[in-house]
Amino acid sequence: MILTVVALALIVVMAMAIARAFLGPTIYDRILAVNLFGTKTVLLIAVVSYIAGRPDFLDVALIYALINFISVIAVLRFFEYGSSKVNDKVGKDA
Amino acid sequence: MKHTVSVFLLLASFWLINSGYYKPLLLSFGLVSAIFVVYLTHRMDVVDHESHPLHLFNLKLPSYYLWLVGQLIVSNIDVVKRVWSGKGSISPCTAWLPLSQTSDIGRVIYANSITLTPGTVAMDLEDDRVYVHALSREGLDDLRAGEMDRRVSNLER
Amino acid sequence: MPELITLLSSLCLLLGAFLIFSGGLGVLRFPDFFTRMHAAGVTETMAVTLIVLGLMLHSGWGLPLFKLLLILLFVMITGPTASHALAKSALHGGLRPLGDDSNNERH
Amino acid sequence: MVRARDLFATVMLSGIYGLLSASFFILMDAADVAFTEAAVGAGIFPLLMLTVLTSVGRYEAERRRVRYLPLFVMVVLAGALFAAVLQMPPFGAVDAPSHGHVAQRYIQDSPAEIGIPNMVTSVLASYRGFDTLGEVVVIFTAAVGVVVILLGGRPKTPQQSTQALMAEHKVLRVVGKMLIPLILLFGLYVQFHGEYGPGGGFQAGVIFAVGIILYAMLFGLSNAQRVVPLGVLRWLVALGVLIYGSVGLANLVVGGEYLNYSMLASDPVTGQHIGIILIELGVGITVASAMVLIFFAFTRATRSRDELEE
């Protein structure tokens, strides 16, 4: 019961993160939103694994935590590689 | 050498915690995997005093983390209050703050502690200073008082 | 004793859910990227700790307990690192925070 | 949508889509699929797409007129797919075709025939081992294609700029050093526990590759290539397929059928066990080295293009 409430709260926050990803306005807001979405997915999977009574799902949650971190780093590296050609609109909007 | 041992022990316990199957076959796979990873990370040159700061493991560390948890609770409540009371309650500001750590690992612990406590984020880190963004002037002033900086530096000694 | 643990677990979970929601709200409400980052920070520290703690109390002694602990540790290490990297990148990308009063001594 | 011209936003949205669909799979109790989606859909796919974007640029070329034919095809296709969805039996229906065919037999007999707890692995690695061999060959072919197109010509001298960049980034450097060993070991853990929990060679390969890619992103391509040289990677891509194929041949030699591992040991269940471990290892090696190879190839291609323009 309580777990369901937590899962619902997580889903609501994930929706908020998607809203922020669409609203922007800067590319960094979007990255922040994706990162937020990712960490909430980790928690959601952990909570769902207890709702469903399948603790082996926790491995999936661990993978997500990992992937989420690496995606953020990759996105940031993308900007550093991309020098002026790619970076032109950063700060104003994307 | 001691860092190699520590990374091996870390990997071994990571395997044992995750696995849950303590059969000879899987345990030997675990051993082979851990040795292989130790070999690979040595080739990568990532096993050293920075990734395994054994010299920081002393009695001060738990007390520091306990203190940090206290800070976390206080700052979380503060930020949540500001979220609910709206835009008027925040006064974002930035500043370069001096830091007194002597090693990179100490600086990283300090910077991550700043970021970990909501309300303050370390935006840039140099050898003798850190650029901080704070949600409110009070948050920045608290940090400027330097207690966290002192405590982290204390870990290094 | 089991009742106490259930109570504690529920308390942690509910508080965590509330914090998560507050953080999400902050990410929507706050005026610029850097302030939003603080709100996101709320969901990544205390809220994660509380929810994982609640799950740990719920799960009882066993292997999943340690896996939850691993997840918690992992999030606590990577969360601030990602935030810091993002902030640094935004700063170097030319995004100026609101109330930037450091006289732009940056090069 | 207007924003879709920003390819970068598209990639990030596809990352969210990966996360979302994995959550669905979790809700449907399909841990293995969720695992794959987590590692591939949310992990390596956006990562490789980003490296591609660095070489093709971030914005789609401006196009004035709307193309009606592709639009028409898309609408018809989407309509057909929706119609097909409506025709599908309700979720969990007992008489659904997917439950009446061979699934019954797998569920009833696999504990006795294969004897491993994770039935998904039994199906993928043993009953349908031939399909999985095909998938591995596809990945192998993709890696070969990328190598031929992007790594042709003589090797260029590696640049030092990224290293300097990361040396400044103290936090990422220290945390990265702490995490990389754990990520690599976690990959191997998933590799060897495919028979017990969600996971297996594909996911393990991707996770292991992600660990090395993280190293390459933090410490520079030249350092990463020193740790895992391209020549070694090329061999490993082929070695994985070779292991898989030769397990099949070994079965023929001992008098069984291709990729039926029962004859590998005196006891059929042990034979299946050995076979599955070996072919999963082959899958893992090929997937990991192919992913790393593709990442290196794209990153190098970007670099040399930048050098040309400078």
Side-chain angles (χ1 to χ4, degrees), chain B residues 99-128:
Chain B
L99 51 74
S100 59
Q101 288 76 34
T102 49
S103 63
D104 271 357
I105 175 83
R107 292 178 192 121
V108 169
I109 291 179
Y110 182 44
N112 263 8
S113 301
I114 291 175
T115 315
L116 200 57
T117 45
T120 51
V121 169
M123 295 193 291
D124 210 342
L125 180 63
E126 287 176 9
D127 280 347
D128 54 350

Side-chain angles (χ1 to χ4, degrees), chain A residues 78-90, chain D residues 6 8 53-59 305:
Chain A
F78 166 70
F79 280 120
E80 278 158 17
Y81 274 132
S83 63
S84 56
K85 291 184 291 293
V86 179
N87 223 358
D88 50 357
K89 288 201 180 176
V90 167
Chain D
D6 185 349
F8 176 70
L53 281 195
T54 51
S55 43
V56 299
R58 179 171 157 195
Y59 293 94
R305 194 198 56 148

Side-chain angles (χ1 to χ4, degrees), chain C residues 60-72:
Chain C
W61 186 252
L63 215 56
L65 194 77
F66 289 101
K67 284 204 185 183
L68 284 171
L69 199 66
L70 269 183
I71 293 175
L72 181 62

Side-chain angles (χ1 to χ4, degrees), chain A residues 63-76:
Chain A
I63 280 295
Y64 259 18
L66 178 80
I67 292 291
N68 192 40
F69 173 67
I70 291 170
S71 311
V72 172
I73 304 300
V75 168
L76 298 179

Side-chain angles (χ1 to χ4, degrees), chain D residues 150 156 297 299-309:
Chain D
L150 291 178
K156 285 123 192 152
T299 317
R300 261 167 65 122
T302 317
R303 282 302 173 62
S304 45
R305 194 198 56 148
D306 281 353
E307 280 161 32
L308 282 179
E309 287 182 9

Side-chain angles (χ1 to χ4, degrees), chain B:
Chain B
M1 188 58 209
K2 64 180 179 186
H3 297 121
T4 311
V5 174
S6 106
V7 78
F8 180 80
L9 288 179
L10 180 74
L11 293 175
S13 46
F14 186 78
W15 180 283
L16 291 177
I17 287 173
N18 268 305
S19 166
Y21 288 93
Y22 306 116
K23 301 177 189 169
L25 180 70
L26 275 175
L27 285 179
S28 47
F29 279 148
L31 187 68
V32 171
S33 305
I35 290 172
F36 178 64
V37 171
V38 168
Y39 162 74
L40 210 60
T41 46
H42 262 277
R43 278 184 71 104
M44 289 176 170
D45 197 22
V46 298
V47 179
D48 57 15
H49 64 280
E50 276 186 347
S51 56
H52 286 263
L54 295 173
H55 58 286
L56 295 183
F57 288 168
N58 51 33
L59 284 175
K60 287 179 224 152
L61 203 64
S63 71
Y64 173 69
Y65 278 108
L66 220 60
W67 178 82
L68 191 62
V69 168
Q71 293 299 108
L72 271 181
I73 295 171
V74 172
S75 59
N76 265 284
I77 293 171
D78 181 64
V79 174
V80 168
K81 261 190 211 154
R82 286 174 203 275
V83 168
W84 287 98
S85 44
K87 283 177 195 172
S89 62
I90 59 172
S91 50
C93 51
T94 60
W96 281 102
L97 297 182
L99 51 74
S100 59
Q101 288 76 34
T102 49
S103 63
D104 271 357
I105 175 83
R107 292 178 192 121
V108 169
I109 291 179
Y110 182 44
N112 263 8
S113 301
I114 291 175
T115 315
L116 200 57
T117 45
T120 51
V121 169
M123 295 193 291
D124 210 342
L125 180 63
E126 287 176 9
D127 280 347
D128 54 350
R129 55 183 195 163
V130 54
Y131 194 44
V132 178
H133 184 276
L135 194 56
S136 66
R137 208 153 282 283
E138 300 91 75
L140 194 60
D141 289 340
D142 277 355
L143 206 57
R144 209 192 295 268
E147 179 161 18
M148 188 184 274
D149 180 44
R150 235 184 347 267
R151 281 177 183 266
V152 177
S153 294
N154 198 27
L155 288 178
E156 289 182 326
R157 261 163 243 136

Side-chain angles (χ1 to χ4, degrees), chain D residues 248-260 262-263:
Chain D
L249 283 182
N251 294 320
L252 289 179
V253 170
V254 295
E257 298 138 342
Y258 193 70
L259 290 177
N260 178 359
S262 298
M263 303 287 277

Side-chain angles (χ1 to χ4, degrees), chain D residues 53-100:
Chain D
L53 281 195
T54 51
S55 43
V56 299
R58 179 171 157 195
Y59 293 94
E60 196 181 349
E62 204 65 45
R63 196 179 280 140
R64 290 286 183 281
R65 61 203 176 84
V66 184
R67 296 202 158 178
Y68 289 104
L69 185 64
L71 187 69
F72 176 72
V73 171
M74 287 306 291
V75 168
V76 170
L77 196 64
L81 285 176
F82 270 111
V85 168
L86 289 179
Q87 297 280 314
M88 287 206 323
F91 177 66
V94 186
D95 55 344
S98 61
H99 296 170

